[in-house]
Amino acid sequence: PTYDYELLVKKWGLLERPCVVGIDASWSIDLSAVACLFPPVDDDTWRLLTFFWMPAASVVERERKDQVTYSRWIERGFIETCYGNAVDPADIKARVKWAAEMFDVRNVCFDPWNFRGPAAELAEEIQGVVEVRQNFGQLGEATKKLLEIYRTGKLQHGNNPVLNWMASCLDLDGDKRDNVMPSKPERQKSTKRIDGIAATVTAMNRAIVML
């Protein structure tokens, strides 16, 4: 009924466990997302914690246009709101610092669009901050791995309703070499949002190297 991520940390035994953080930062229309992805240690199961933000000033309008229950998710703690008309990068950085204190964060992976400045600030305090470009070369294998562990039941994600909705919105771009990557919806034309999936795939780029 509510997002008790601290309970999941305890239930899954995530304290000080190896982790890769993925960031998908927005401008104003999209949600912003942070994904904490934990590769298997003692079994073959991956664990995933996701966090979302949206501007407080846009909740009513976005709820009307997208026909999505953002306000309900906010009440239940699955989405945090930022004052004004844009997501505050300070909130995202605070969550990443929290993760670095709680887990053995090996990398902090970010989409360079909208987050280069905050990422540079994070790099002054946290090691392993890396830019992951959003192209087939960087995301192809990571996308396939995420789809594989989901389809084989090897991903625990806490049944987060925001992430579930974004998964239902997911489309893939492909090329002639059998590469795939998440297809970002056009902000002004589509009501679909995949920010949590994008953050997870971005994290997977480095997480698969840890296997």
Side-chain angles (χ1 to χ4, degrees):
T2 59
Y3 192 33
D4 191 348
Y5 57 84
E6 293 180 349
L7 175 64
L8 294 178
V9 169
K10 294 178 181 178
K11 180 179 179 180
W12 293 342
L14 301 180
L15 286 176
E16 300 183 359
R17 181 168 166 171
C19 171
V20 178
V21 176
I23 301 171
D24 188 78
S26 67
W27 171 51
S28 59
I29 295 177
D30 281 353
L31 283 77
S32 288
V34 165
C36 297
L37 182 62
F38 301 84
V41 175
D42 300 322
D43 54 23
D44 60 356
T45 301
W46 295 69
R47 274 84 182 184
L48 176 64
L49 297 175
T50 46
F51 303 89
F52 300 96
W53 296 264
M54 68 184 303
S58 68
V59 172
V60 175
E61 180 183 3
R62 293 255 52 89
E63 198 163 48
R64 177 179 59 81
K65 290 184 176 180
D66 298 350
Q67 295 295 297
V68 175
T69 57
Y70 292 121
S71 59
R72 178 62 178 145
W73 289 338
I74 291 168
E75 291 173 2
R76 295 165 61 194
F78 291 101
I79 299 176
E80 300 176 46
T81 55
C82 301
Y83 179 78
N85 295 298
V87 173
D88 189 346
D91 292 343
I92 298 175
K93 291 191 295 180
R95 180 56 66 188
V96 174
K97 292 177 184 178
W98 167 85
E101 293 174 357
M102 297 286 289
F103 316 123
D104 178 13
V105 174
R106 304 293 179 85
N107 284 113
V108 177
C109 306
F110 68 97
D111 175 351
W113 287 99
N114 303 315
F115 205 72
R116 273 208 174 100
E121 295 169 358
L122 277 174
E124 295 177 358
E125 303 180 51
I126 300 174
Q127 294 184 343
V129 177
V130 294
E131 177 180 305
V132 176
R133 293 185 176 276
Q134 307 295 288
N135 56 41
F136 289 118
Q138 294 285 291
L139 301 183
E141 184 179 1
T143 301
K144 290 178 181 179
K145 186 63 179 180
L146 179 61
L147 293 174
E148 172 197 324
I149 63 175
Y150 169 73
R151 288 169 174 165
T152 56
K154 296 178 180 178
L155 175 65
Q156 287 188 334
H157 51 79
N159 202 27
N160 187 311
V162 183
L163 188 66
N164 289 345
W165 167 61
M166 290 181 175
S168 75
C169 293
L170 179 64
D171 291 316
L172 298 176
D173 285 333
D175 65 6
K176 296 180 180 179
R177 299 181 179 180
D178 200 30
N179 293 311
V180 293
M181 60 180 282
S183 176
K184 278 275 189 174
E186 291 189 55
R187 291 178 177 143
Q188 301 293 344
K189 296 181 181 180
S190 176
T191 61
K192 294 182 177 181
R193 299 289 179 263
I194 64 164
D195 309 275
I197 303 297
T200 303
V201 172
T202 299
M204 184 66 82
N205 170 271
R206 289 304 177 100
I208 54 179
V209 180
M210 297 166 54
L211 297 177

